[in-house]
């Protein structure tokens, strides 16, 4: 039985998530855009079950800079009427419902995990969800690449580069394409025969699920949180 035949895998919603952020001097990164794409693997194929995207108004100490504009195309003008983090992340958080099993999926999940944890008062459900990180999964399945950046993986899998690369929704969509190909490869890997094995290789525990005394350690306990909402 391969990974995608595991009942735990087929009953899990995988939510690919990406943030764009500003990085003000002397402060942690501040989110300015978020996108999420919810997916289930059913009957041998992937099915989209929901998506969400929103700009997020940055705080005054973390304005959109020319560097941010050069990378993402986002300008300060676009944020004049953008929702606050409380509104934008609260709306996303409300799309998760009790009783469903979720895992977040991200490219370099430490970045997304850190942003979510710092905003956890606005998205407590989201903050309790663990991650699958595409980087360690790709390292396990396709060793020997020069690096494991998203652009490198897109090239490796011949996935077209989106014209709006570095916008949250575009990055979520291509990360999902990378994830699909990695899972297809994992289905033939005897070391990744079920969801627990996948989490052991590529899982990252949400900081909100770590024991308080473990805050200095980067644990990779792959268990899902007991409260697992649905978008």
């Amino acid at each position: 039985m391969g990974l995608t035949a595991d009942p735990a895998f087929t009953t899990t919603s995988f939510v690919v998530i990406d943030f764009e952020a500003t990085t003000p001097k002397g402060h942690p990164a501040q989110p300015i855009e978020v996108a999420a794409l919810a997916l289930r693997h059913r009957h041998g194929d992937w099915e989209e079950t929901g998506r969400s995207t929103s700009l997020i108004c940055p705080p005054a100490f973390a304005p959109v800079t020319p560097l941010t504009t050069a990378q993402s195309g986002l300008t300060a003008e676009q944020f004049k009427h953008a929702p606050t983090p409380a509104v934008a992340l609260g709306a996303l958080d409300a799309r998760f419902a009790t009783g469903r099993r979720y895992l977040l999926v991200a490219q370099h999940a430490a970045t997304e995990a850190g942003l979510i944890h710092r905003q956890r008062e606005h998205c407590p459900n989201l903050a309790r969800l663990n991650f699958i990180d595409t980087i360690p999964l790709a390292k396990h399945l396709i060793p020997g690449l020069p690096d494991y950046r998203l652009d490198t993986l897109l090239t490796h899998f011949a996935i077209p580069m989106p014209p709006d690369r570095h916008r949250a929704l575009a990055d979520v969509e291509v990360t999902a394409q990378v994830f699909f190909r990695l899972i297809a490869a994992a289905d033939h890997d005897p070391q990744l025969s079920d969801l627990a094995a996948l989490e052991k290789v590529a899982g990252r525990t949400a900081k909100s699920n770590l024991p308080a005394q473990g805050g200095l350690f980067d644990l990779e306990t792959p268990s899902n949180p007991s409260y697992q909402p649905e978008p």
Side-chain angles (χ1 to χ4, degrees), residues 87-143:
V87 172
L89 295 176
L92 175 59
D93 202 58
R95 298 191 65 178
F96 291 83
T98 309
R100 297 295 183 96
R101 180 194 295 266
Y102 289 90
L103 283 169
L104 301 178
V105 177
Q107 170 78 9
H108 194 246
T111 299
E112 269 54 46
L115 282 162
I116 290 170
H117 187 69
R118 289 190 294 273
Q119 299 289 333
R120 62 192 179 278
E121 65 179 304
H122 306 313
C123 51
N125 298 328
L126 184 64
R128 288 194 291 268
L129 297 178
N130 297 331
F131 280 85
I132 296 295
D133 191 332
T134 52
I135 291 179
L137 183 56
K139 287 181 177 179
H140 174 83
L141 291 166
I142 42 175

Side-chain angles (χ1 to χ4, degrees), residues 28-119:
Q30 301 294 312
I32 59 172
E33 188 178 33
V34 62
L37 178 63
L39 304 157
R40 290 278 297 275
H41 195 276
R42 294 171 175 164
H43 311 298
D45 203 358
W46 288 98
E47 173 186 333
E48 179 180 328
T49 59
R51 63 172 57 204
S52 174
T53 184
S54 178
L55 294 177
I56 303 173
C57 186
F61 65 80
V64 173
T65 65
L67 181 61
T68 305
T69 302
Q71 182 176 43
S72 67
L74 290 166
T75 66
E77 182 72 21
Q78 291 173 267
F79 291 88
K80 284 188 174 180
H81 303 291
T84 63
V87 172
L89 295 176
L92 175 59
D93 202 58
R95 298 191 65 178
F96 291 83
T98 309
R100 297 295 183 96
R101 180 194 295 266
Y102 289 90
L103 283 169
L104 301 178
V105 177
Q107 170 78 9
H108 194 246
T111 299
E112 269 54 46
L115 282 162
I116 290 170
H117 187 69
R118 289 190 294 273
Q119 299 289 333

